[in-house]
Amino acid sequence: MIIAIEGIDGSGKNTQTKLLAKHLSEQGMKVVMLGFPCYSETFFGKEVGHYLNGNFGGLDDVPPKLASMLYAGDRFEKKSSIENALNSGAIIIIDRYVSSNIAHQSAKVADLEKVELQSWIETLEYDVYGLPRPNLNILLDLDASSSSKLVLMKDAREYTSKNKDLHEENSSYLESVASVYRSLAAGSEDWEVVNCLGKDGVRPINEISSEILAVVSKVLNYAQTTI
């Protein structure tokens, strides 16, 4: 099974991926944890880092299809690792997967172009590169304003010396990405949405983690009863 943790920058994907992996491992399950982009591990991952650092120009200077190829290529280089983990019977928990590419790139185009670009990216990643589809996508839903504050609390990144990368510095863009994510999740059986905001602001990490674990446990129990 592949579980993808999705959401805009600062939504806590890395933290929640680690916590979910820890909880499932403690329950005796075999878990493999992955995260994309692989900035220092793959050829394309390094180029994604250059893109996010602004080496290729601003957000509007790089055509969405070209940017999407960098992210897809990064995942393709890890395809064998994903397939080996699946074949070993592991639950793979991934911090950003194909839907991240779809959300970020289609957020750059007009509404009439969104569906076509989303289909194009799915064809690239799932059909051309043959990446396995996720069984469950979990959206950590967060607004761009909260994202901007949380990004500044991140540790230093290996691909940039800036406080915010090309995506993170543009709040209107991140809000568009969040909107695309919500559209992808709406009415889809393989998506679950976890709201990261409560009455008093961003919800505590352990509270979000508990909700994610409940969602995943329900899916795992259902999968076991249908085998």
Side-chain angles (χ1 to χ4, degrees), residues 15 48 63 99 201 204 223-225:
T15 297
V48 170
S99 293
Q224 291 172 353
T225 59

Side-chain angles (χ1 to χ4, degrees), residues 8 13 33 48 53 88 107 163:
I8 63 173
K13 297 180 296 300
M33 188 172 65
V48 170
N53 196 44
S88 72
N163 291 329

Side-chain angles (χ1 to χ4, degrees), residues 68 98 101-102 105 117-126:
S68 70
V98 175
N101 204 5
I102 293 171
Q105 303 313 320
L117 181 58
Q118 289 170 7
S119 177
W120 188 91
I121 294 173
E122 285 196 345
T123 298
L124 171 65
E125 300 230 30
Y126 294 133

